[in-house]
Amino acid sequence: MRALRRLLFLAGALLLAAAPARAVVDSCVECHRGLDDPRLKAPTAGFPHDIHAERGLTCAACHGGDPADPDPSAMDPEKGFKGAPTRAQIAPLCASCHADAAFMKRYNPRPYVFSMAEWQTSVHAKLAARGDAKVATCTSCHGVHGIRPPKDPASPVFKTNVPRTCAKCHNAGYMKGHPVRTDQFALYSKSVHGVALLEKGDVSAPACNDCHGNHGAAPPGVKDVTMVCGTCHGREAELFEGSRMKAGLDAMGKPGCVTCHGNHGVQHPTDAMLSAAPGGTCAGCHRPGSVAEQGTSAIVASFRGLQGSLSTADSLLQLAEVRGMETAPGRGNLKEAQDALVGVRAGLHSFDPKQIGAVLAEGAGLSRKATGYGREALRDWHNRRLGMVLSLVVILILIGLVVAKIRQIEN
Amino acid sequence: MNLADWLRERLGLEALDHVIEKKRVPVHRHTFWYYWGGMTLFLFGVQVATGILLVLYYRPSADEAYESVRFLMTQVSFGWLIRSIHSWSANLLVGAAMIHMFSAFMLKSYRRPREVTWLTGMGLFVLCLAFGFSGYLLPWNQLAFFATKVGTDIMGSVPLVGPFLARLLRGGDQITGGTLTRFFGFHVAILPLCMTALLGIHLFLVQWHGMSVPPGAEQPVAAPKQEMKFVPDFLLRDLVGWLAALGALALLAALFPWELGLKADPYAFAPAGIKPEWYFGYMFQTLRMIPSRVLGIEGELLGIVGFGLGALVWALVPFLDAPDGRGPRARFWRVVGVLAMLYVVVFTLLVYRGGPS
């Protein structure tokens, strides 16, 4: 009997051990899913796909309460229920986790750690602090109850989506009454950067946040513009920083870079810009006949000369290639000369005739080499033809002699 | 005693003199086709001579092959000419070998006792194709790389031995620098060795049996023989053909220098319109046109097996045709020869006319 009791006890223990654990039910999702009010029901549709939900966080992580309680008492403030945060509360609420490096490292060994200090430098945060309820906060850009990580193409802050996300607010309708331009998206989408990013999907092209910052978004100041453009256009910015042009623009209170190139609507720079004649970019400030205009004209002439000699070299090499000649070494010289031309274009930002002249001379030397190679290839081509004709003549004479010998033998 | 006599005494050249003196070539309405063997031999000689010059500069590794050919073509005096002649001559050589083979087939030169001559000729033709296939990769350019990939892939489809054959050729599963070195080894060592041996036997047999007279041109035994001396009559006529071939090579090399193309990049996309050298064209086109499945059998496999069987039958034709070259059986094989030529010509042209793919 005792043995039977022991056996029954053991069987019961085994059954209990084998029983599946009861699934944890989130009462917030369960209840809100069944509500009629779309405002209260909507979060349950997107939240299962939210990065926070994927990482195991529940509604209670932001809203508090007890998700294990199946009754409305789950939303008892005594159980920590906070409800929906106000607009002003959103950034500090997100920061409570995202600014906590130790907490974020639990999910990512190299986490992005949000900085409230940086956020507070943004125009958005400053206006919010003054009570402006229309400015952006975290959820304005990242979304809510369906937030995707920025690397996800579905995220509104994925690189190619950023300009349209910014334009959701930065448009004439939403910005009515605010002293801020609203043509940025229209200009940007037709700019060299916008076309590259939005039309060609080139994620190396800058979006709004690359120049303005994201969490600390603000218009770059006059002094900062070169720094902003220089993050990508480093060589040009470095040369410009040491140029007399910078000092001149600073004295006039004009920003670097954008004075000549524009900002949101920046276009691919063309060589036609380089002219002090009417229509050229330099003509915007320099009068015809001025010292600056004369200096520019001299550089322009040399620049066009190099372009012309590159074009000549290219034509000669092309002709040689069409005629079946090997032109790789000449093409190598031409490529280097073309690189020098690109170097001249960058070097123009030094506004130093000597410096520009040195690069122009280097390019001209390489271009001469390429031209020389092209000419040599064509000369060689002519020589080959001549050699072929001569060898054919010799061969025909030999054939004639052999045929004559055959005839002689036959006779 | 002058040097010639001195050598004659020591090398036994009298025997050679005797052979030369005795050697005759039959003269009839098909004599023209006899010149194509000599033409093939001459072009092979051009290949050997230019190949030796090329090998002085060529470096058989993936890092250096392309650059060494470029150096040869741009920096070495007449390097472009040597390479162009080597490439053009290779093509003319295969063409001449084809003409020689088909003319021997149509003139039924393979009849007794020349069955082995025919078989060695077939072997030489296969070696020519192997020379072409292995040499094509050596400049290590983009077209050659991908054409070799396609070619070795097809070989990999051969039943039973295919995978082994493909690995043997590539030296692995992919075309790599190792494949290039291996192909170089085939091209300059293994194939020339086989070629020399087989060519020696072939020439000896041609000499031994003399020229075959086609069935329609045979004369009664009593009639005076229509023939010419090999030296100097036939040889001088051969020389005219060789000089003409040399002229054609000079013309082709100067007007259409062989391109170098872009360096092979295994990670690049295969260039559009990849096609093999023209002499593999008819096989390539056939494989392109065969449906993917025929009667439940994979189309490509069927094509490869078909080529194998076709080549076997072609090689064994001396044993299948009528021994005297006359009668219905002989006519049947003549029709087979005409159809084979038509097939090769039409399918080769289809490759270049953008035939169905």
Side-chain angles (χ1 to χ4, degrees):
Chain A
M1 195 61 189
R2 206 170 155 189
L4 184 66
R5 265 208 310 272
R6 276 187 184 170
L7 195 65
L8 281 172
F9 177 78
L10 191 63
L14 279 171
L15 273 173
L16 277 175
R22 197 171 151 232
V24 177
V25 176
D26 186 332
S27 64
C28 314
V29 176
E30 289 299 304
C31 288
H32 276 257
R33 189 180 285 150
L35 294 176
D36 292 331
D37 185 343
R39 194 176 60 86
L40 297 173
K41 187 181 180 178
T44 62
F47 191 63
H49 310 294
D50 191 295
I51 179 67
H52 299 94
E54 286 175 4
R55 294 285 187 272
L57 297 174
T58 63
C59 310
C62 296
H63 299 288
D66 180 7
D69 182 350
D71 297 319
S73 57
M75 297 185 289
D76 190 335
E78 284 188 8
K79 291 186 174 177
F81 182 70
K82 292 180 275 189
T86 64
R87 202 168 182 80
Q89 288 170 336
I90 289 173
L93 176 65
C94 297
S96 65
C97 294
H98 283 275
D100 182 345
F103 179 81
M104 293 306 292
K105 279 184 82 171
R106 289 161 58 183
Y107 298 95
N108 183 348
R110 290 187 301 161
Y112 166 74
V113 181
F114 176 73
S115 161
M116 269 307 270
E118 185 191 355
W119 160 247
Q120 279 156 357
T121 64
S122 72
V123 173
H124 297 140
K126 283 176 184 169
L127 289 177
R130 280 188 238 150
D132 188 336
K134 288 180 78 175
V135 290
T137 185
C138 311
T139 51
S140 312
C141 301
H142 292 277
V144 62
H145 302 135
I147 297 172
R148 300 302 306 153
K151 283 181 183 169
D152 185 333
S155 165
V157 291
F158 181 70
K159 186 79 179 262
T160 52
N161 298 332
V162 165
R164 286 189 183 85
T165 299
C166 297
K168 276 197 305 185
C169 296
H170 287 272
N171 59 64
Y174 192 84
M175 283 292 158
K176 200 170 183 183
H178 282 76
V180 62
R181 287 175 63 171
T182 54
D183 59 354
Q184 300 95 328
F185 182 74
L187 287 169
Y188 172 82
S189 56
K190 289 188 169 51
S191 73
V192 63
H193 295 147
V195 169
L197 182 68
L198 301 177
E199 291 180 20
K200 298 177 185 166
D202 179 357
V203 289
S204 65
C208 313
N209 58 320
D210 289 299
C211 298
H212 295 282
N214 39 24
H215 298 131
V222 168
K223 197 164 179 58
D224 303 331
V225 171
T226 318
M227 304 287 183
V228 169
C229 302
T231 54
C232 296
H233 302 279
R235 176 76 182 133
E236 288 82 352
E238 184 190 331
L239 291 169
F240 181 76
E241 277 297 314
S243 72
R244 286 184 301 168
M245 181 64 78
K246 175 161 188 337
L249 287 175
D250 282 349
M252 292 163 72
K254 286 190 172 186
C257 307
V258 299
T259 299
C260 298
H261 293 281
N263 48 13
H264 297 117
V266 60
Q267 293 299 311
H268 192 285
T270 62
D271 295 334
M273 286 172 67
L274 184 66
S275 170
T281 304
C282 311
C285 298
H286 298 289
R287 288 188 311 278
S290 66
V291 176
E293 193 261 334
Q294 288 166 6
T296 308
S297 299
I299 293 172
V300 168
S302 306
F303 186 74
R304 300 269 185 261
L306 177 57
Q307 280 183 314
S309 71
L310 287 179
S311 172
T312 305
D314 188 37
S315 305
L316 283 169
L317 291 171
Q318 264 186 28
L319 185 60
E321 281 154 10
V322 167
R323 291 176 175 180
M325 303 302 291
E326 179 61 40
T327 59
R331 279 278 165 215
N333 291 143
L334 184 63
K335 176 79 179 60
E336 284 180 60
Q338 282 162 340
D339 289 346
L341 187 72
V342 174
V344 173
R345 289 190 182 110
L348 289 171
H349 295 88
S350 69
F351 296 93
D352 176 1
K354 269 191 190 165
Q355 206 170 331
I356 298 166
V359 190
L360 275 167
E362 185 195 349
L366 288 163
S367 178
R368 271 196 298 278
K369 272 191 186 174
T371 306
Y373 196 92
R375 291 214 169 98
E376 196 182 319
L378 288 173
R379 211 166 24 245
D380 202 12
W381 180 80
H382 281 289
N383 290 341
R384 287 183 189 187
R385 301 240 147 179
L386 190 64
M388 176 197 70
V389 170
L390 289 176
S391 66
L392 284 180
V393 168
V394 171
I395 287 169
L396 284 173
I397 290 171
L398 284 174
I399 289 177
L401 289 173
V402 175
V403 170
K405 180 72 182 167
I406 293 169
R407 293 272 152 78
Q408 186 194 4
I409 292 170
E410 278 176 352
N411 291 333
Chain B
M1 180 183 283
N2 62 25
L3 184 65
D5 292 337
W6 189 87
L7 283 172
R8 193 174 295 278
E9 185 183 317
R10 279 149 189 83
L11 300 179
L13 294 180
E14 281 85 359
L16 191 64
D17 285 346
H18 182 68
V19 170
I20 288 171
E21 181 59 31
K22 294 276 284 180
K23 190 167 170 62
R24 296 286 190 275
V25 178
V27 175
H28 47 75
R29 65 179 186 278
H30 301 301
T31 300
F32 170 75
W33 300 108
Y34 290 146
Y35 295 107
W36 288 96
M39 179 65 84
T40 311
L41 186 63
F42 169 72
L43 290 169
F44 179 68
V46 172
Q47 288 305 90
V48 173
T50 52
I52 287 170
L53 293 174
L54 289 177
V55 96
L56 297 179
Y57 287 94
Y58 182 72
R59 292 193 290 272
S61 75
D63 291 336
E64 294 182 300
Y66 182 84
E67 284 73 13
S68 67
V69 178
R70 164 164 283 169
F71 177 81
L72 175 89
M73 290 181 69
T74 56
Q75 308 296 317
V76 179
S77 300
F78 296 105
W80 65 272
L81 183 66
I82 299 299
R83 177 173 180 247
S84 271
I85 286 184
H86 192 77
S87 303
W88 275 115
S89 177
N91 283 274
L92 296 189
L93 166 63
V94 178
M98 272 190 178
I99 293 171
H100 182 46
M101 179 179 71
F102 278 114
S103 59
F105 186 96
M106 295 309 292
L107 298 177
K108 298 191 179 291
S109 310
Y110 46 70
R111 286 169 304 139
R112 188 183 169 200
R114 296 183 179 81
E115 296 93 330
V116 180
T117 317
W118 170 259
L119 287 173
T120 52
M122 285 293 291
L124 287 170
F125 183 67
V126 171
L127 283 177
C128 281
L129 297 184
F131 265 116
F133 187 66
S134 57
Y136 192 56
L137 179 69
L138 299 187
W140 198 242
N141 59 29
Q142 199 75 326
L143 266 178
F145 179 88
F146 284 102
T148 306
K149 186 172 177 348
V150 173
T152 49
D153 278 347
I154 291 172
M155 281 189 198
S157 310
V158 174
L160 302 175
V161 293
F164 167 76
L165 203 62
R167 276 184 68 81
L168 177 78
L169 285 174
R170 291 173 175 170
D173 292 329
Q174 302 294 329
I175 308 278
T176 61
T179 317
L180 176 71
T181 311
R182 188 165 285 222
F183 270 44
F184 178 70
F186 288 137
H187 197 74
V188 303
I190 298 169
L191 293 175
L193 193 70
C194 300
M195 191 86 172
T196 308
L198 216 52
L199 187 61
I201 299 170
H202 190 75
L203 292 177
F204 169 77
L205 290 175
V206 170
Q207 175 60 35
W208 181 256
H209 295 301
M211 305 290 212
S212 155
V213 179
E218 281 164 346
Q219 292 159 347
V221 179
K225 279 189 177 176
Q226 294 288 311
E227 56 187 19
M228 68 170 101
K229 287 177 77 177
F230 182 78
V231 180
D233 300 3
F234 189 81
L235 195 60
L236 283 173
R237 285 169 172 79
D238 252 346
L239 191 59
V240 172
W242 298 349
L243 285 169
L246 205 59
L249 284 175
L251 205 71
L252 289 167
L255 294 183
F256 310 104
W258 208 262
E259 282 185 15
L260 181 56
L262 295 171
K263 185 174 179 174
D265 176 5
Y267 302 107
F269 288 111
I274 279 196
K275 34 175 104 74
E277 288 281 71
W278 66 269
Y279 39 84
F280 293 115
Y282 64 95
M283 290 192 262
F284 178 69
Q285 184 63 23
T286 308
L287 292 177
R288 283 207 299 187
M289 286 171 71
I290 290 182
S292 58
R293 293 198 84 76
V294 181
L295 300 171
I297 305 168
E298 199 185 322
E300 191 174 80
L301 184 68
L302 198 70
I304 290 165
V305 172
F307 287 131
L309 290 175
L312 187 68
V313 170
W314 192 255
L316 294 179
V317 77
F319 311 100
L320 303 172
D321 199 355
D324 60 353
R326 294 171 199 281
R329 193 139 59 109
R331 276 198 296 280
F332 167 76
W333 285 107
R334 197 167 282 128
V335 171
V336 168
V338 171
L339 289 178
M341 282 191 287
L342 275 176
Y343 162 67
V344 169
V345 171
V346 170
F347 276 63
T348 304
L349 289 177
L350 275 178
V351 177
Y352 298 93
R353 295 279 302 246
S357 58

